[in-house]
């Protein structure tokens, strides 16, 4: 976790609060994430980070991998919402990530990955059996 919060890039003089962001890897993940706070981008390691954000206006928060093209997820954090978010990377890099309140975020693509890993061996076995039947004639 960041010891000190990353300052808000918007240069505000109004009230601020601290956004606690916890990023979790998907099944397949890039080395780190890019966090966007109201258009300012920060390259971060996986885990916890703290960001200073305005307390009196909505804030756009986006998280992605691979320079902003993989596992993209975004939300708008309203002033009345708790300032803690969780990002979960997808199970496959071509899917979007998920962002929301901690404990409510599910990893996208797990069933797809399971289907791929389960079906490939079954299809290979079926192919071997078909070839075996054809060769025995």
């Amino acid at each position: 976790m960041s010891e000190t919060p990353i300052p808000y890039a918007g240069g505000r003089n109004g009230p601020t609060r601290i956004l606690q962001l916890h990023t979790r890897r998907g099944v397949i993940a890039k080395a780190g994430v890019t966090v966007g706070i109201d258009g300012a981008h920060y390259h971060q390691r996986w885990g916890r980070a703290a960001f200073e954000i305005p307390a009196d206006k909505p804030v756009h928060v986006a998280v992605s991998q691979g320079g902003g093209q993989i596992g993209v997820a975004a939300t708008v954090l309203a002033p009345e919402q708790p300032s803690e978010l969780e990002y979960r990377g997808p199970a496959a890099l071509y899917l979007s990530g998920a962002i929301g309140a901690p404990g409510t975020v599910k990893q996208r693509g797990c069933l797809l990955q399971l289907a791929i890993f389960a079906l490939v061996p079954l299809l290979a076995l079926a192919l071997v059996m078909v070839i075996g039947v054809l060769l025995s004639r």
Side-chain angles (χ1 to χ4, degrees):
M1 176 167 167
S2 301
E3 293 298 322
T4 57
I6 296 169
Y8 182 69
R12 291 180 45 88
N13 291 330
T16 61
R17 60 185 178 151
I18 304 301
L19 166 63
Q20 299 290 336
L21 177 65
H22 189 189
T23 56
R24 298 178 184 269
R25 293 176 181 261
V27 174
I28 299 171
K30 294 289 186 175
V33 293
T34 300
V35 179
I37 307 286
D38 282 345
H41 293 67
Y42 309 92
H43 299 286
Q44 298 290 305
R45 293 183 175 149
W46 291 98
R48 294 190 180 272
F51 299 89
E52 183 181 69
I53 60 172
D56 58 349
K57 73 172 199 119
V59 176
H60 183 264
V61 180
V63 182
S64 63
Q65 303 173 48
Q69 301 169 5
I70 298 170
V72 178
T75 190
V76 174
L77 190 63
E80 64 274 2
Q81 289 178 286
S83 57
E84 188 170 357
L85 291 172
E86 178 181 3
Y87 167 83
R88 184 137 339 220
L93 292 179
Y94 55 85
L95 296 174
S96 61
I99 192 169
T104 65
V105 180
K106 304 282 188 226
Q107 186 174 49
R108 292 190 172 137
C110 285
L111 289 177
L112 177 63
Q113 289 289 82
L114 179 62
I116 290 170
F117 290 129
L119 287 178
V120 168
L122 289 175
L123 290 174
L125 180 63
L127 182 62
V128 168
M129 291 175 66
V130 168
I131 290 172
V133 169
L134 291 175
L135 291 177
S136 68
R137 289 185 181 186

